[in-house]
Amino acid sequence: MLSCKEATQLVSEGLDRELPLWQRLGLRLHVVMCRGCSRFARQITALNRVVADHYGDGPPAEVSEHLPPDTVQRIKSSLRQATPPADDQNGK
Ligand SMILES: [Zn+2]
């Protein structure tokens, strides 16, 4: 079982490269059971989609039209430095 720190680390790494299957499975398992990491993964994945749409070849997402690239980049890098949501584990 991954710790929250490891899980959020994997979420961030997964933005840059394809994770090995066993890591993806471990991450998915953790996210299913951990509300804090679930929220973290959802937020960072949604944001990454904005960035990917903006810089990728695909059609631009509606939201990316409202965000200048440097702003998206700044948000993305600050999210990577975000601390894992460890407190949420006790919340239930
Ligand atoms: Zn967690």
Side-chain angles (χ1 to χ4, degrees), residues 42-89:
R42 220 173 23 241
Q43 286 172 346
I44 203 168
T45 302
L47 185 66
N48 187 56
R49 195 173 303 130
V50 171
V51 174
D53 285 345
H54 198 92
Y55 291 106
D57 295 321
E62 191 180 328
V63 64
S64 70
E65 293 171 10
H66 304 292
L67 289 174
D70 60 328
T71 301
V72 174
Q73 198 60 45
R74 208 174 312 131
I75 296 172
K76 191 179 176 187
S77 60
S78 69
L79 260 185
R80 283 187 194 184
Q81 290 160 10
T83 49
D87 287 349
D88 276 17
Q89 268 206 325

Side-chain angles (χ1 to χ4, degrees), residues 1-53:
M1 182 68 179
L2 295 167
S3 70
C4 287
K5 189 173 179 199
E6 289 167 332
T8 50
Q9 179 71 33
L10 284 180
V11 170
S12 296
E13 284 183 24
L15 300 180
D16 291 328
R17 61 186 175 87
E18 184 90 355
L19 296 174
L21 180 62
W22 66 272
Q23 281 189 326
R24 289 208 305 270
L25 289 176
L27 178 59
R28 186 164 291 256
L29 187 66
H30 181 102
V31 165
V32 164
M33 297 194 300
C34 176
R35 211 170 43 169
C37 288
S38 168
R39 196 169 55 213
F40 178 84
R42 220 173 23 241
Q43 286 172 346
I44 203 168
T45 302
L47 185 66
N48 187 56
R49 195 173 303 130
V50 171
V51 174
D53 285 345

